Tab-separated table of all heavy atoms in Angstrom:
chain	number	residue	atom	x	y	z
A	602	TYR	N	98.660	98.206	111.510
A	602	TYR	CA	98.642	98.000	110.063
A	602	TYR	C	97.219	97.814	109.555
A	602	TYR	O	96.410	97.128	110.162
A	602	TYR	CB	99.471	96.761	109.721
A	602	TYR	CG	99.315	96.311	108.291
A	602	TYR	CD1	100.053	96.904	107.285
A	602	TYR	CD2	98.418	95.306	107.959
A	602	TYR	CE1	99.921	96.507	105.970
A	602	TYR	CE2	98.276	94.897	106.635
A	602	TYR	CZ	99.035	95.501	105.650
A	602	TYR	OH	98.890	95.101	104.356
A	603	ASN	N	96.932	98.448	108.431
A	603	ASN	CA	95.698	98.116	107.731
A	603	ASN	C	95.939	98.278	106.237
A	603	ASN	O	96.664	99.156	105.795
A	603	ASN	CB	94.515	98.970	108.205
A	603	ASN	CG	94.675	100.432	107.844
A	603	ASN	OD1	94.503	100.819	106.699
A	603	ASN	ND2	95.008	101.252	108.848
A	604	ALA	N	95.324	97.367	105.483
A	604	ALA	CA	95.579	97.305	104.046
A	604	ALA	C	95.154	98.585	103.343
A	604	ALA	O	95.773	99.000	102.362
A	604	ALA	CB	94.868	96.101	103.454
A	605	SER	N	94.101	99.231	103.840
A	605	SER	CA	93.606	100.425	103.158
A	605	SER	C	94.632	101.549	103.210
A	605	SER	O	94.749	102.337	102.256
A	605	SER	CB	92.283	100.883	103.785
A	605	SER	OG	92.453	101.220	105.142
A	606	GLU	N	95.383	101.641	104.293
A	606	GLU	CA	96.405	102.691	104.360
A	606	GLU	C	97.518	102.408	103.365
A	606	GLU	O	98.039	103.342	102.737
A	606	GLU	CB	96.983	102.812	105.766
A	606	GLU	CG	97.963	103.981	105.871
A	606	GLU	CD	98.486	104.229	107.274
A	606	GLU	OE1	98.057	103.534	108.211
A	606	GLU	OE2	99.345	105.131	107.418
A	607	VAL	N	97.878	101.161	103.191
A	607	VAL	CA	98.911	100.821	102.211
A	607	VAL	C	98.435	101.177	100.804
A	607	VAL	O	99.194	101.736	99.998
A	607	VAL	CB	99.274	99.324	102.298
A	607	VAL	CG1	100.214	98.942	101.153
A	607	VAL	CG2	99.939	99.017	103.632
A	608	VAL	N	97.182	100.887	100.509
A	608	VAL	CA	96.628	101.240	99.199
A	608	VAL	C	96.659	102.757	99.000
A	608	VAL	O	97.021	103.256	97.927
A	608	VAL	CB	95.193	100.703	99.060
A	608	VAL	CG1	94.537	101.251	97.787
A	608	VAL	CG2	95.192	99.180	99.044
A	609	ALA	N	96.284	103.495	100.057
A	609	ALA	CA	96.305	104.954	99.970
A	609	ALA	C	97.718	105.469	99.757
A	609	ALA	O	97.954	106.405	98.978
A	609	ALA	CB	95.697	105.560	101.231
A	610	LEU	N	98.678	104.849	100.435
A	610	LEU	CA	100.070	105.257	100.280
A	610	LEU	C	100.562	104.972	98.867
A	610	LEU	O	101.326	105.756	98.304
A	610	LEU	CB	100.951	104.528	101.303
A	610	LEU	CG	100.838	105.029	102.741
A	610	LEU	CD1	101.486	104.057	103.708
A	610	LEU	CD2	101.488	106.409	102.888
A	611	ASP	N	100.122	103.869	98.290
A	611	ASP	CA	100.511	103.565	96.912
A	611	ASP	C	100.019	104.653	95.950
A	611	ASP	O	100.706	105.005	94.985
A	611	ASP	CB	99.955	102.202	96.497
A	611	ASP	CG	100.768	101.046	97.053
A	611	ASP	OD1	101.960	101.256	97.352
A	611	ASP	OD2	100.214	99.939	97.179
A	612	ARG	N	98.848	105.185	96.224
A	612	ARG	CA	98.335	106.272	95.381
A	612	ARG	C	99.198	107.521	95.533
A	612	ARG	O	99.518	108.199	94.554
A	612	ARG	CB	96.879	106.579	95.741
A	612	ARG	CG	95.879	105.531	95.260
A	612	ARG	CD	94.468	106.088	95.256
A	612	ARG	NE	94.031	106.429	96.606
A	612	ARG	CZ	93.376	105.594	97.421
A	612	ARG	NH1	93.084	104.354	97.012
A	612	ARG	NH2	92.994	105.980	98.621
A	613	VAL	N	99.571	107.818	96.778
A	613	VAL	CA	100.427	108.988	97.027
A	613	VAL	C	101.775	108.810	96.344
A	613	VAL	O	102.324	109.758	95.747
A	613	VAL	CB	100.607	109.202	98.545
A	613	VAL	CG1	101.603	110.333	98.804
A	613	VAL	CG2	99.276	109.509	99.205
A	614	ILE	N	102.325	107.604	96.431
A	614	ILE	CA	103.618	107.321	95.799
A	614	ILE	C	103.526	107.513	94.286
A	614	ILE	O	104.432	108.079	93.658
A	614	ILE	CB	104.082	105.894	96.153
A	614	ILE	CG1	104.471	105.821	97.641
A	614	ILE	CG2	105.253	105.464	95.276
A	614	ILE	CD1	104.662	104.413	98.164
A	615	ALA	N	102.431	107.067	93.715
A	615	ALA	CA	102.253	107.216	92.260
A	615	ALA	C	102.164	108.684	91.863
A	615	ALA	O	102.657	109.086	90.802
A	615	ALA	CB	100.997	106.470	91.812
A	616	GLU	N	101.552	109.503	92.734
A	616	GLU	CA	101.388	110.927	92.445
A	616	GLU	C	102.649	111.727	92.728
A	616	GLU	O	102.886	112.766	92.098
A	616	GLU	CB	100.223	111.474	93.270
A	616	GLU	CG	98.857	110.899	92.871
A	616	GLU	CD	97.776	111.239	93.878
A	616	GLU	OE1	98.090	111.926	94.875
A	616	GLU	OE2	96.624	110.826	93.667
A	617	ALA	N	103.448	111.270	93.704
A	617	ALA	CA	104.676	111.991	94.074
A	617	ALA	C	105.820	111.002	94.201
A	617	ALA	O	106.286	110.692	95.300
A	617	ALA	CB	104.464	112.743	95.392
A	618	PRO	N	106.297	110.460	93.089
A	618	PRO	CA	107.311	109.390	93.136
A	618	PRO	C	108.649	109.807	93.729
A	618	PRO	O	109.438	108.954	94.137
A	618	PRO	CB	107.465	108.991	91.660
A	618	PRO	CG	106.988	110.176	90.890
A	618	PRO	CD	105.895	110.789	91.710
A	619	GLY	N	108.890	111.104	93.804
A	619	GLY	CA	110.159	111.559	94.352
A	619	GLY	C	110.136	111.850	95.834
A	619	GLY	O	111.154	112.259	96.417
A	620	ASP	N	109.013	111.630	96.499
A	620	ASP	CA	108.879	111.907	97.930
A	620	ASP	C	109.139	110.626	98.720
A	620	ASP	O	108.412	109.638	98.560
A	620	ASP	CB	107.469	112.424	98.227
A	620	ASP	CG	107.314	112.869	99.677
A	620	ASP	OD1	108.250	112.655	100.479
A	620	ASP	OD2	106.240	113.417	100.012
A	621	PRO	N	110.170	110.602	99.584
A	621	PRO	CA	110.473	109.365	100.321
A	621	PRO	C	109.505	109.075	101.468
A	621	PRO	O	109.409	107.931	101.917
A	621	PRO	CB	111.877	109.629	100.867
A	621	PRO	CG	111.947	111.109	101.024
A	621	PRO	CD	111.143	111.669	99.875
A	622	LYS	N	108.774	110.087	101.945
A	622	LYS	CA	107.970	109.896	103.157
A	622	LYS	C	106.910	108.803	103.030
A	622	LYS	O	106.796	107.949	103.915
A	622	LYS	CB	107.342	111.225	103.578
A	622	LYS	CG	108.357	112.254	104.039
A	622	LYS	CD	107.661	113.536	104.490
A	622	LYS	CE	108.675	114.579	104.921
A	622	LYS	NZ	108.014	115.832	105.377
A	623	PRO	N	106.096	108.808	101.976
A	623	PRO	CA	105.100	107.727	101.897
A	623	PRO	C	105.730	106.351	101.760
A	623	PRO	O	105.178	105.360	102.265
A	623	PRO	CB	104.269	108.101	100.666
A	623	PRO	CG	105.092	109.062	99.890
A	623	PRO	CD	105.920	109.790	100.887
A	624	ARG	N	106.869	106.260	101.116
A	624	ARG	CA	107.551	104.965	101.002
A	624	ARG	C	108.045	104.497	102.368
A	624	ARG	O	107.988	103.302	102.684
A	624	ARG	CB	108.715	105.059	100.014
A	624	ARG	CG	108.283	105.358	98.584
A	624	ARG	CD	109.485	105.432	97.660
A	624	ARG	NE	109.137	105.959	96.352
A	624	ARG	CZ	108.695	105.238	95.333
A	624	ARG	NH1	108.531	103.935	95.486
A	624	ARG	NH2	108.412	105.813	94.177
A	625	LEU	N	108.529	105.441	103.171
A	625	LEU	CA	108.981	105.087	104.514
A	625	LEU	C	107.810	104.622	105.377
A	625	LEU	O	107.913	103.640	106.117
A	625	LEU	CB	109.668	106.283	105.175
A	625	LEU	CG	111.099	106.558	104.727
A	625	LEU	CD1	111.578	107.880	105.305
A	625	LEU	CD2	112.015	105.426	105.152
A	626	ARG	N	106.699	105.349	105.290
A	626	ARG	CA	105.534	104.958	106.065
A	626	ARG	C	105.036	103.575	105.634
A	626	ARG	O	104.687	102.733	106.467
A	626	ARG	CB	104.417	105.996	105.896
A	626	ARG	CG	103.127	105.652	106.629
A	626	ARG	CD	103.344	105.442	108.116
A	626	ARG	NE	102.102	105.098	108.782
A	626	ARG	CZ	102.032	104.460	109.950
A	626	ARG	NH1	103.146	104.097	110.568
A	626	ARG	NH2	100.875	104.199	110.490
A	627	LYS	N	105.037	103.341	104.335
A	627	LYS	CA	104.638	102.029	103.826
A	627	LYS	C	105.577	100.945	104.345
A	627	LYS	O	105.126	99.850	104.751
A	627	LYS	CB	104.635	102.049	102.294
A	627	LYS	CG	104.214	100.728	101.673
A	627	LYS	CD	104.241	100.810	100.147
A	627	LYS	CE	103.909	99.471	99.511
A	627	LYS	NZ	103.951	99.526	98.033
A	628	ALA	N	106.878	101.229	104.345
A	628	ALA	CA	107.847	100.253	104.861
A	628	ALA	C	107.572	99.947	106.331
A	628	ALA	O	107.614	98.784	106.759
A	628	ALA	CB	109.264	100.786	104.684
A	629	GLU	N	107.297	100.979	107.131
A	629	GLU	CA	106.969	100.778	108.544
A	629	GLU	C	105.786	99.830	108.693
A	629	GLU	O	105.806	98.873	109.471
A	629	GLU	CB	106.616	102.128	109.197
A	629	GLU	CG	107.776	103.065	109.405
A	629	GLU	CD	108.520	102.776	110.703
A	629	GLU	OE1	108.197	101.775	111.365
A	629	GLU	OE2	109.416	103.559	111.032
A	630	LEU	N	104.722	100.107	107.951
A	630	LEU	CA	103.508	99.299	108.058
A	630	LEU	C	103.762	97.853	107.645
A	630	LEU	O	103.326	96.910	108.322
A	630	LEU	CB	102.408	99.902	107.183
A	630	LEU	CG	101.834	101.243	107.657
A	630	LEU	CD1	100.952	101.837	106.565
A	630	LEU	CD2	101.039	101.071	108.939
A	631	LEU	N	104.470	97.673	106.549
A	631	LEU	CA	104.720	96.332	106.054
A	631	LEU	C	105.630	95.543	106.994
A	631	LEU	O	105.383	94.355	107.256
A	631	LEU	CB	105.323	96.400	104.653
A	631	LEU	CG	104.377	96.907	103.560
A	631	LEU	CD1	105.146	97.167	102.277
A	631	LEU	CD2	103.256	95.906	103.313
A	632	LEU	N	106.664	96.176	107.503
A	632	LEU	CA	107.560	95.476	108.424
A	632	LEU	C	106.850	95.149	109.736
A	632	LEU	O	107.058	94.079	110.316
A	632	LEU	CB	108.817	96.311	108.675
A	632	LEU	CG	109.740	96.468	107.466
A	632	LEU	CD1	110.885	97.418	107.786
A	632	LEU	CD2	110.295	95.123	107.009
A	633	ASP	N	106.005	96.061	110.201
A	633	ASP	CA	105.219	95.777	111.403
A	633	ASP	C	104.318	94.567	111.203
A	633	ASP	O	104.021	93.828	112.152
A	633	ASP	CB	104.363	96.989	111.781
A	633	ASP	CG	105.176	98.090	112.445
A	633	ASP	OD1	106.338	97.830	112.817
A	633	ASP	OD2	104.658	99.215	112.571
A	634	ALA	N	103.860	94.374	109.967
A	634	ALA	CA	102.968	93.258	109.650
A	634	ALA	C	103.740	92.012	109.225
A	634	ALA	O	103.136	91.029	108.785
A	634	ALA	CB	102.003	93.669	108.544
A	635	ALA	N	105.062	92.044	109.347
A	635	ALA	CA	105.926	90.922	108.964
A	635	ALA	C	105.839	90.608	107.468
A	635	ALA	O	106.061	89.474	107.048
A	635	ALA	CB	105.615	89.674	109.781
A	636	ALA	N	105.515	91.615	106.674
A	636	ALA	CA	105.602	91.482	105.212
A	636	ALA	C	107.027	91.888	104.840
A	636	ALA	O	107.283	92.990	104.330
A	636	ALA	CB	104.562	92.362	104.535
A	637	TRP	N	107.955	91.001	105.130
A	637	TRP	CA	109.372	91.358	105.169
A	637	TRP	C	109.922	91.807	103.823
A	637	TRP	O	110.614	92.826	103.735
A	637	TRP	CB	110.179	90.180	105.705
A	637	TRP	CG	109.779	89.724	107.061
A	637	TRP	CD1	109.216	88.524	107.402
A	637	TRP	CD2	109.906	90.449	108.296
A	637	TRP	NE1	108.985	88.458	108.751
A	637	TRP	CE2	109.397	89.631	109.320
A	637	TRP	CE3	110.387	91.717	108.620
A	637	TRP	CZ2	109.367	90.022	110.653
A	637	TRP	CZ3	110.360	92.117	109.953
A	637	TRP	CH2	109.856	91.282	110.950
A	638	GLU	N	109.670	91.054	102.772
A	638	GLU	CA	110.254	91.389	101.479
A	638	GLU	C	109.692	92.699	100.934
A	638	GLU	O	110.445	93.545	100.448
A	638	GLU	CB	110.020	90.246	100.485
A	638	GLU	CG	110.814	88.997	100.832
A	638	GLU	CD	110.731	87.937	99.748
A	638	GLU	OE1	110.184	88.241	98.661
A	638	GLU	OE2	111.209	86.820	99.987
A	639	ALA	N	108.384	92.871	101.018
A	639	ALA	CA	107.779	94.109	100.520
A	639	ALA	C	108.226	95.300	101.356
A	639	ALA	O	108.483	96.388	100.821
A	639	ALA	CB	106.255	93.994	100.537
A	640	GLY	N	108.330	95.121	102.675
A	640	GLY	CA	108.790	96.202	103.543
A	640	GLY	C	110.229	96.589	103.258
A	640	GLY	O	110.583	97.780	103.246
A	641	THR	N	111.062	95.583	103.012
A	641	THR	CA	112.464	95.850	102.667
A	641	THR	C	112.560	96.625	101.366
A	641	THR	O	113.308	97.609	101.258
A	641	THR	CB	113.242	94.528	102.539
A	641	THR	OG1	113.181	93.822	103.776
A	641	THR	CG2	114.700	94.789	102.174
A	642	ARG	N	111.782	96.198	100.380
A	642	ARG	CA	111.795	96.874	99.077
A	642	ARG	C	111.381	98.336	99.220
A	642	ARG	O	112.003	99.243	98.645
A	642	ARG	CB	110.870	96.143	98.116
A	642	ARG	CG	110.894	96.683	96.691
A	642	ARG	CD	110.227	95.732	95.715
A	642	ARG	NE	108.850	95.426	96.089
A	642	ARG	CZ	108.440	94.253	96.569
A	642	ARG	NH1	109.310	93.267	96.767
A	642	ARG	NH2	107.162	94.047	96.853
A	643	SER	N	110.338	98.590	100.010
A	643	SER	CA	109.865	99.958	100.186
A	643	SER	C	110.898	100.809	100.920
A	643	SER	O	111.113	101.979	100.591
A	643	SER	CB	108.538	99.954	100.952
A	643	SER	OG	107.975	101.245	101.003
A	644	ALA	N	111.559	100.226	101.931
A	644	ALA	CA	112.583	100.965	102.672
A	644	ALA	C	113.754	101.334	101.771
A	644	ALA	O	114.268	102.465	101.824
A	644	ALA	CB	113.068	100.134	103.861
A	645	LEU	N	114.191	100.400	100.930
A	645	LEU	CA	115.307	100.681	100.032
A	645	LEU	C	114.929	101.700	98.964
A	645	LEU	O	115.751	102.535	98.578
A	645	LEU	CB	115.798	99.386	99.393
A	645	LEU	CG	116.505	98.405	100.333
A	645	LEU	CD1	116.860	97.119	99.607
A	645	LEU	CD2	117.749	99.032	100.960
A	646	GLU	N	113.686	101.647	98.506
A	646	GLU	CA	113.222	102.653	97.538
A	646	GLU	C	113.226	104.043	98.162
A	646	GLU	O	113.602	105.023	97.523
A	646	GLU	CB	111.822	102.295	97.050
A	646	GLU	CG	111.791	101.090	96.116
A	646	GLU	CD	110.371	100.637	95.800
A	646	GLU	OE1	109.419	101.199	96.403
A	646	GLU	OE2	110.214	99.730	94.961
A	647	ALA	N	112.804	104.124	99.419
A	647	ALA	CA	112.823	105.416	100.112
A	647	ALA	C	114.249	105.904	100.300
A	647	ALA	O	114.557	107.077	100.075
A	647	ALA	CB	112.129	105.285	101.468
A	648	ALA	N	115.132	104.998	100.702
A	648	ALA	CA	116.530	105.375	100.935
A	648	ALA	C	117.169	105.925	99.663
A	648	ALA	O	117.988	106.847	99.713
A	648	ALA	CB	117.313	104.174	101.450
A	649	ALA	N	116.787	105.380	98.517
A	649	ALA	CA	117.359	105.827	97.247
A	649	ALA	C	116.984	107.274	96.917
A	649	ALA	O	117.637	107.914	96.092
A	649	ALA	CB	116.901	104.904	96.113
């Protein structure tokens, strides 16, 4: 996990809000870092 990748993923998500892949990658990173609530939110957003 590194914060810069999460920031980069947020930019990708903003540019392509309908693509689940960056949200899934963000969820992976956040859950690996034990950022449980944010990781859960990102995973559910991707699933939607």
Side-chain angles (χ1 to χ4, degrees):
Y602 169 83
N603 67 75
S605 61
E606 185 175 357
V607 173
V608 171
L610 286 167
D611 282 336
R612 286 198 296 268
V613 175
I614 290 168
E616 294 168 0
D620 186 353
K622 293 182 181 181
R624 296 180 191 273
L625 282 172
R626 178 57 181 158
K627 181 180 176 181
E629 289 275 6
L630 291 169
L631 292 170
L632 292 175
D633 284 348
W637 302 114
E638 291 188 8
T641 301
R642 185 166 57 252
S643 187
L645 291 176
E646 288 172 354

